[in-house]
Amino acid sequence: MASREEKIQQDVQDLHGLGYAQELFRTMGGFSNFAISFSIISILTGAVILYDYGLAWAGTAAVVIGWPFITIFVLAIAASMAELASAYPTAGGLYYWASRMKNKNWGWWTAWFNLVGQFAIVAGIDYAAAGFINATIVDRITGGPAFNTTVFVSGVINGQLVTMGVILIIQLALNIAGINLVAILNQVSVWWHIAIVAAVVILIFATGKPDQSGLTLGAIQPLDQAGSWNNNLGFLNLQYGPATSYPLLLAFFFSLLLANWTYTGYDASAHVAEETIGARMSSAWGVFLSVAVSAVVGYIFLMALTTHLPNMSTLFPNPLPSDLSQASQYYFGGGVAVISVLEYNLGSNLGDLLSAGIAIAMWFCGLASLAAAGRMLFAFSRDDGIPFSGFLKKVSVRYRTPANALFAVALVAWLFTVAAFVVGTGTAIVIVTAISTIFLYAAYGVVIFLGATTSEWQEHRVWSLGRWSKPVAWVAVAWCLVLMVLFSFPTSGNISFPFMVGTVILLLVYYFGWARSHFKGPKVQGSEAELSELEREFQHAAEELGGQQPA
């Protein structure tokens, strides 16, 4: 059994073989690596935010059938990505994999798909966290009206966006302060999630009330009967009706966004590979186990809620009242199905307390997501793949973290959410969740496709599916294609499809106008001796500043 120091030496040697110096601080263990992906998946974030959405489109079938159905495909995706993570253990993960398996052009597109998804997932998580924190904590402290709807700049910034900004500032400061602190907080996050889920499940099954929804468990019964959406984009006028106006099977497939957006961000284990000890195996298991554990824990949590629903007529009224304060957030109202279920079964005091626990879990999720996105941006900037790369690739000598990249992610995520709010007001959360799902899985699909159609990388992997590698990869690629079509559909006033098209057009212009001829792909920072000298310079500077030093 290799010692900790021997594992680190091998990790540094592996990183040198990929052309990079050990600039970041390598200190994360296997559990910490798993914890960052588990925290980003966060069954208390995605599953809670979009629980209303799942009920609206398919009733209880969104959970009873949809969750295990999606889990099968996501496990295939995670397994295929785990193989690749074990072959190329470097920050930036997917971008580097695509570049090595094919060429710099595939790497460039993968990087941008992943980056857009990373920006959007940070935005979606922290915007939702802000809403929950306001509703369950801030409003209780102030005793005033809902802070979410407090307007600071009419049509541009409301209370939810203000709280989101505060959340991002705190998360940014903690992320810059060092990977040790973030690793500890992610470990706390794992046990926090499990504790809240256990409390909800035990209390609901022990003292919960009978289901009053009138729904048949597992049947496809959309609750949205009053939705009427109209996206007039000038050149394209989209008008469509409620979920009940669609064929049941199609409505069920739209409801799968509930599960699929929850299962995003597990590439984080690959993005922090340069800070993980025993990176090849730890990153691979982190990617796969974060999905597998979330699948089990999430299903138990959601089934507890789904078997103890209150009357749904307040959350999903038909027709819609002029006052939507009690209506579901699906209708851009103030009601949240999960909070309603908890209060119905456990009373307002205990229900609100558990809801506040969920809000804190969302904060942990955002912290981990910012960490992963910052590493992705840093890695791409290190190879000069993005404007302002010189600034973005700088590493804090004191803390050994990609401080500038982390700052940029936080700023862009907040501005992105402001833009989504200006365009879609109440639909902002649906916009950013769908966009993050589409672009992240586009990147996942690209690298898995390349893995299935090339073979050189296989000699480097240490985590392998063996003869099942290619069949599993093709299943994964097929589902990535399906979900990109499904979640581009403008349900709930969602404008993700026009945004996706617009983003791809801009990237095409940027690619053919500059990147195709100027971007060189992954760069070798120097010879073995030069890389070692660079690391010694970092160590010396860190010692002088009293900051983080390499192990």
Side-chain angles (χ1 to χ4, degrees):
M1 177 76 69
S3 67
R4 182 177 187 273
E5 290 71 24
E6 289 172 335
K7 288 181 180 179
I8 292 175
Q9 289 175 3
Q10 183 60 54
D11 288 326
V12 174
Q13 183 178 335
D14 289 342
L15 187 59
H16 286 183
L18 300 178
Y20 300 118
Q22 183 67 57
E23 297 179 81
L24 303 178
F25 189 47
R26 192 179 292 274
T27 186
M28 295 177 69
F31 183 72
S32 293
N33 184 283
F34 155 81
I36 190 170
S37 285
F38 181 83
S39 295
I40 295 176
I41 291 174
S42 182
I43 51 180
L44 295 177
T45 301
V48 170
I49 295 169
L50 293 182
Y51 189 64
D52 297 66
Y53 183 90
L55 290 174
W57 279 94
T60 61
V63 168
V64 178
I65 303 173
W67 186 270
F69 177 78
I70 288 295
T71 296
I72 293 170
F73 293 107
V74 176
L75 281 173
I77 293 168
S80 294
M81 288 175 60
E83 287 193 298
L84 295 167
S86 74
Y88 302 121
T90 176
L94 287 72
Y95 148 70
Y96 186 89
W97 307 344
S99 300
R100 282 291 297 266
M101 288 188 290
K102 195 69 174 178
N103 56 47
K104 69 181 183 70
N105 298 319
W106 284 80
W108 188 89
W109 281 100
T110 302
W112 274 104
F113 289 156
N114 198 228
L115 269 180
V116 173
Q118 293 284 356
F119 286 132
I121 198 173
V122 172
I125 289 166
D126 278 333
Y127 186 65
F132 258 72
I133 288 172
N134 284 346
T136 62
I137 300 175
V138 175
D139 289 350
R140 300 297 184 271
I141 294 173
T142 62
F147 189 65
N148 281 337
T149 57
T150 301
V151 176
F152 287 82
V153 181
S154 181
V156 179
I157 298 176
N158 65 354
Q160 192 168 353
L161 285 165
V162 170
T163 301
M164 178 187 177
V166 173
I167 289 172
L168 280 166
I169 290 171
I170 296 171
Q171 291 170 344
L172 175 62
L174 292 171
N175 266 289
I176 290 176
I179 193 62
N180 265 339
L181 178 58
V182 172
I184 291 170
L185 290 171
N186 282 327
Q187 291 178 37
V188 172
S189 171
V190 171
W191 299 115
W192 185 270
H193 277 77
I194 291 175
I196 296 297
V197 168
V200 168
V201 172
I202 292 171
L203 288 170
I204 284 184
F205 278 118
T207 65
K209 298 176 182 178
D211 185 283
Q212 289 189 357
S213 67
L215 299 173
T216 301
L217 192 64
I220 303 172
Q221 296 172 291
L223 294 182
D224 168 32
Q225 303 177 61
S228 179
W229 320 111
N230 180 8
N231 290 145
N232 191 343
L233 305 177
F235 65 94
L236 184 64
N237 188 7
L238 302 173
Q239 298 183 25
Y240 30 92
T244 50
S245 67
Y246 292 80
L248 287 181
L249 186 60
L250 183 59
F252 168 73
F253 272 94
F254 287 150
S255 79
L256 297 177
L257 181 62
L258 160 64
N260 225 129
W261 188 68
T262 304
Y263 288 129
T264 48
Y266 45 89
D267 52 322
S269 290
H271 292 312
V272 296
E274 291 182 28
E275 294 152 285
T276 299
I277 299 169
R280 287 183 182 273
M281 288 297 284
S282 294
S283 295
W285 279 116
V287 170
F288 184 77
L289 287 179
S290 61
V291 172
V293 175
S294 296
V296 176
V297 178
Y299 197 55
I300 294 171
F301 171 70
L302 289 171
M303 284 301 294
L305 299 176
T306 305
T307 53
H308 294 81
L309 295 174
N311 187 297
M312 294 280 101
S313 60
T314 300
L315 284 169
F316 295 95
N318 183 30
L320 291 179
S322 56
D323 178 11
L324 292 175
S325 60
Q326 301 300 311
S328 168
Q329 60 181 344
Y330 175 82
Y331 292 129
F332 324 131
V336 178
V338 170
I339 295 177
S340 298
V341 174
L342 294 177
E343 291 181 345
Y344 164 69
N345 285 281
L346 307 175
S348 59
N349 290 333
L350 186 54
D352 287 347
L353 182 62
L354 289 171
S355 296
I358 291 173
I360 294 171
M362 291 181 178
W363 181 87
F364 278 122
C365 177
L367 177 78
S369 185
L370 179 60
R375 271 68 183 176
M376 171 60 214
L377 182 58
F378 157 75
F380 195 31
S381 301
R382 180 170 58 185
D383 293 325
D384 297 322
I386 192 170
F388 309 109
S389 288
F391 171 79
L392 295 171
K393 65 185 174 183
K394 291 187 180 300
V395 173
S396 168
V397 175
R398 179 184 293 274
Y399 300 112
R400 306 302 295 271
T401 53
N404 293 354
L406 288 164
F407 170 77
V409 171
L411 179 61
V412 171
W414 189 77
L415 292 175
F416 180 74
T417 313
V418 171
F421 178 76
V422 171
V423 173
T425 57
T427 69
I429 189 61
V430 181
I431 294 171
V432 293
T433 52
I435 288 170
S436 61
T437 305
I438 292 166
F439 279 93
L440 284 176
Y441 274 92
Y444 298 174
V446 168
V447 294
I448 295 171
F449 167 77
L450 293 178
T453 54
T454 61
S455 58
E456 188 274 336
W457 65 274
Q458 295 176 4
E459 66 188 59
H460 303 291
R461 66 183 173 181
V462 297
W463 195 99
S464 174
L465 294 173
R467 63 189 180 91
W468 291 101
S469 180
K470 282 196 174 183
V472 169
W474 285 117
V475 169
V477 170
W479 181 248
C480 287
L481 292 172
V482 170
L483 71 83
M484 289 176 66
V485 174
L486 274 181
F487 305 144
S488 295
F489 192 86
T491 54
S492 305
N494 182 8
I495 61 165
S496 57
F497 180 71
F499 177 89
M500 182 174 69
V501 172
T503 300
V504 171
I505 290 173
L506 288 175
L507 288 176
L508 283 169
V509 172
Y510 181 33
Y511 174 72
F512 285 105
W514 182 85
R516 188 181 185 187
S517 56
H518 292 82
F519 176 61
K520 305 303 181 184
K523 294 182 177 181
V524 175
Q525 290 182 313
S527 64
E528 181 75 23
E530 290 170 330
L531 294 176
S532 297
E533 177 60 27
L534 178 60
E535 290 160 0
R536 282 191 291 269
E537 290 175 3
F538 258 96
Q539 182 176 2
H540 178 67
E543 289 171 351
E544 289 185 340
L545 293 171
Q548 303 272 23
Q549 299 175 33

